[in-house]
Amino acid sequence: MKRSAIVIGLTLVLAALVWQFAQRAEEPFDPAFLRLSPLEIARLPLAVRFDQPMGSEHGALTYNAQPFRLNRHLGDDLNGIGGQNSDLGDSVYAAGVGRVIYAGVPGSGWGRMVILAHRVPEPADPQKIQIIQTVYAHLDQILVKHGQLVSRGEKIGTVGTADGQYLAHLHFEVREGPYVNPSVGYADAPLNRLPPERFLLEHRGAANESLNPPPR
Ligand SMILES: [Zn+2]
């Protein structure tokens, strides 16, 4: 009797520890805004070229099912051309060389989300450097960890349904600035979001000699 009580007690303590560890592994988002520090910004890789995060590097075999600002949308919903759930589990690639500044499940309809941060020369004035974030949401799997450096075109996750909330697609956003927050996918104002299609058009096809140095 006494022994079984000890076993139950130990099991409960162990379960509590495992639970805490699992919570930490998910990295729940701190609701207080996070701002990248000057040191973190300095350590972001310089990204001079961006490609599509799904399909080929120019987006073949995908279409944009809900473009930026349609229905107050803050990103693009990228879908495999097969429609429905045909793209479930397809690769999601880093649009540019960057650092993982968020990888987790922020809640409120997002499912699994990865945010990469990049330092990007402005096309009109390459001396000016913008802080750009690319956001990949509703993922089925996350294949990167917070703090990790990723190359352009590196597989960072797979297309998902946000645990059955939607038909499989990639919600892709481009954001500007140092504040890290999963935030919202729809709003009346564009907030700090940039039109993803235009951003990719402006930043694709950089000359070979100006391509990124290796990130590591
Ligand atoms: Zn969306």
Side-chain angles (χ1 to χ4, degrees), residues 68-103:
F68 185 69
R69 299 316 291 144
L70 183 67
N71 308 320
R72 304 163 62 242
H73 199 218
L74 292 176
D76 283 344
D77 282 345
L78 303 177
N79 238 322
I81 51 171
Q84 301 286 325
N85 274 332
S86 61
D87 50 354
L88 178 62
D90 279 3
S91 299
V92 172
Y93 305 108
V97 59
R99 191 180 290 280
V100 180
I101 55 169
Y102 180 80

Side-chain angles (χ1 to χ4, degrees), residues 15-190:
L17 282 174
V18 167
W19 174 249
Q20 254 201 340
F21 189 77
Q23 291 294 296
R24 227 172 262 180
E26 286 290 341
E27 285 196 51
F29 185 74
D30 183 344
F33 264 43
L34 261 180
R35 188 186 199 284
L36 295 173
S37 70
L39 183 67
E40 285 171 314
I41 290 168
R43 293 180 67 225
L44 295 178
L46 194 68
V48 299
R49 173 171 162 180
F50 286 79
D51 293 325
Q52 291 280 346
M54 253 182 91
S56 77
E57 62 188 12
H58 299 309
L61 302 180
T62 64
Y63 70 98
N64 190 353
Q66 185 177 225
F68 185 69
R69 299 316 291 144
L70 183 67
N71 308 320
R72 304 163 62 242
H73 199 218
L74 292 176
D76 283 344
D77 282 345
L78 303 177
N79 238 322
I81 51 171
Q84 301 286 325
N85 274 332
S86 61
D87 50 354
L88 178 62
D90 279 3
S91 299
V92 172
Y93 305 108
V97 59
R99 191 180 290 280
V100 180
I101 55 169
Y102 180 80
V105 185
S108 65
W110 279 122
R112 291 180 185 79
M113 176 191 256
V114 170
I115 305 179
L116 304 181
H118 324 261
R119 286 189 307 129
V120 181
E122 278 183 28
D125 182 0
Q127 297 303 313
K128 278 192 191 159
I129 302 292
Q130 289 176 294
I131 300 163
I132 293 291
Q133 302 176 30
T134 50
V135 178
Y136 313 77
H138 314 331
L139 299 174
D140 194 49
Q141 273 186 298
I142 291 178
L143 303 174
V144 289
K145 294 229 167 350
H146 184 259
Q148 190 177 330
L149 276 171
V150 294
S151 314
R152 173 174 50 84
E154 188 169 331
K155 187 172 175 178
I156 58 172
T158 59
V159 175
T161 61
D163 293 317
Q165 295 183 72
Y166 320 108
L167 288 172
H169 70 275
L170 175 70
H171 175 96
F172 176 67
E173 285 184 22
V174 178
R175 302 178 179 177
E176 190 183 1
Y179 292 97
V180 189
N181 188 335
S183 185
V184 290
Y186 295 87
D188 289 333

